[in-house]
Amino acid sequence: MTSTLSNVLFESHASAYSLTNAYWLAQAAQIAYQDKATIQPAVATLGLNQFEFLSRRDTEGYIAANDDIIIVAFRGTEPTHLRDLMTDVKMHKVQGPLGDVHRGFLGAFNLVKDDLFSAIQRLRDKSHPQSLWCTGHSLGGALAVMAAAQLLVEGHKVNGLYTFGQPRVGDETFTTECARRLAGQYFRFVNNNDTVTRVAPRTLGYAHTGEVRYIDADGQIQTDIGFWNRFLDRIKGRMEDLLKPGTDGLKDHSMRHYVEHIANALKSGV
């Protein structure tokens, strides 16, 4: 069965990359930036008739469901708050699910972990379990990764993890385990010069995981682009924005741009 997002049908049992699902989950991640009163009717228009809001201090998100799917979406944050999470103390790695992870990200996730699992239990159809999907942008992407890892550890099947502008979350052990357990199900979108995707630093033992979907300076989604070509493309992106207001790396981090590029790819059939 499928769920409808305008005229786009969500592929609820996809077992590999789906551009349709990428668009749908990008929309879900963008909705997470709204307040509780706005999110609930927004997800209802998507055919998700069950909804629970997650909110503990600075960690917010929501869980929405219907007969086919359960979506876990986390809100991102302002760059200033993300910088706060990149302080020396919070950037230390601690033991988390599947390996060592960013202390600040784990702490933010733990604020809502119990609420998340309780909500999934309430929304899950025991006789015909829905497929389960996690998503988020920026810090929300890191929290989505933490949620997926914890769900796996506790025996839940995660059908898909799609993140947008996500920072690095854990060490090599963590990333290797994520790649193994979520093979063909975890896709990490990077928009050209999005600077947030380059923190926390490799020099402190952090690494990325997931299959990269790189959006180049022309807005095209690339699935196989080498380091050197990506470096040249980022220079191109900076040059094209040289005379435009705003910083290229922060503009490229905008969730609105991720949604637009994925929507354009879907329209063009790429």
Side-chain angles (χ1 to χ4, degrees):
M1 296 180 68
T2 54
S3 302
T4 305
L5 176 62
S6 185
N7 61 339
V8 177
L9 298 177
F10 189 86
E11 298 171 346
S12 58
H13 293 288
S15 58
Y17 174 68
S18 165
L19 181 60
T20 294
N21 289 1
Y23 171 68
W24 208 98
L25 292 166
Q27 295 272 15
Q30 189 172 44
I31 288 172
Y33 280 97
Q34 302 176 31
D35 58 35
K36 179 180 179 180
T38 309
I39 292 173
Q40 187 163 9
V43 297
T45 64
L46 308 183
L48 298 167
N49 52 17
Q50 300 177 77
F51 167 83
E52 297 208 18
F53 190 61
L54 296 173
S55 181
R56 297 279 182 177
R57 287 167 42 192
D58 292 326
T59 303
E60 292 189 343
Y62 67 88
I63 305 162
N66 60 20
D67 291 342
D68 299 326
I69 57 176
I70 296 175
I71 301 293
V72 177
F74 287 95
R75 177 178 296 178
T77 187
E78 295 296 324
T80 51
H81 182 215
L82 191 59
R83 281 198 295 271
D84 290 342
L85 287 171
M86 292 297 126
T87 61
D88 290 342
V89 172
K90 292 183 179 177
M91 217 161 18
H92 286 315
K93 292 187 292 296
V94 295
Q95 179 63 46
L98 306 182
D100 287 348
V101 296
H102 186 285
R103 178 180 179 181
F105 297 159
L106 180 63
F109 171 69
N110 281 340
L111 290 173
V112 297
K113 180 177 72 173
D114 291 342
D115 294 340
L116 169 66
F117 278 85
S118 295
I120 289 174
Q121 286 297 107
R122 287 190 294 273
L123 296 176
R124 174 143 276 170
D125 184 332
K126 304 300 188 297
S127 58
H128 297 92
Q130 307 97 313
S131 58
L132 179 60
W133 304 77
C134 298
T135 190
H137 168 250
S138 189
L139 170 62
L143 295 175
V145 174
M146 292 298 312
Q150 190 66 51
L151 284 161
L152 290 170
V153 165
E154 300 198 20
H156 293 265
K157 179 179 181 181
V158 177
N159 296 77
L161 169 61
Y162 286 63
T163 68
F164 309 91
Q166 171 217 309
R168 298 183 184 99
V169 174
D171 66 1
E172 289 285 354
T173 299
F174 177 82
T175 57
T176 298
E177 278 299 294
C178 280
R180 182 178 70 85
R181 297 196 190 200
L182 290 166
Q185 298 163 302
Y186 175 13
F187 304 96
R188 180 172 56 84
F189 282 78
V190 177
N191 184 25
N192 194 233
N193 281 311
D194 186 342
T195 55
V196 171
T197 65
R198 299 199 284 278
V199 296
R202 289 193 184 95
T203 53
L204 293 181
Y206 286 92
H208 264 311
T209 187
E211 296 183 33
V212 179
R213 294 296 182 266
Y214 177 73
I215 302 171
D216 66 23
D218 297 318
Q220 302 298 308
I221 299 175
Q222 306 288 344
T223 59
D224 184 17
I225 183 169
F227 170 81
W228 181 245
N229 287 333
R230 190 182 305 182
F231 174 74
L232 294 176
D233 186 70
R234 282 174 168 160
I235 291 176
K236 178 182 177 183
R238 290 194 183 100
M239 293 299 294
E240 288 177 350
D241 282 348
L242 189 61
L243 300 179
K244 298 178 184 177
T247 303
D248 187 37
L250 290 180
K251 284 193 301 179
D252 285 348
H253 186 58
S254 166
M255 189 61 218
R256 178 175 61 84
H257 292 317
Y258 278 97
V259 172
E260 288 174 352
H261 291 314
I262 296 168
N264 289 337
L266 195 59
K267 290 175 186 175
S268 63
V270 175

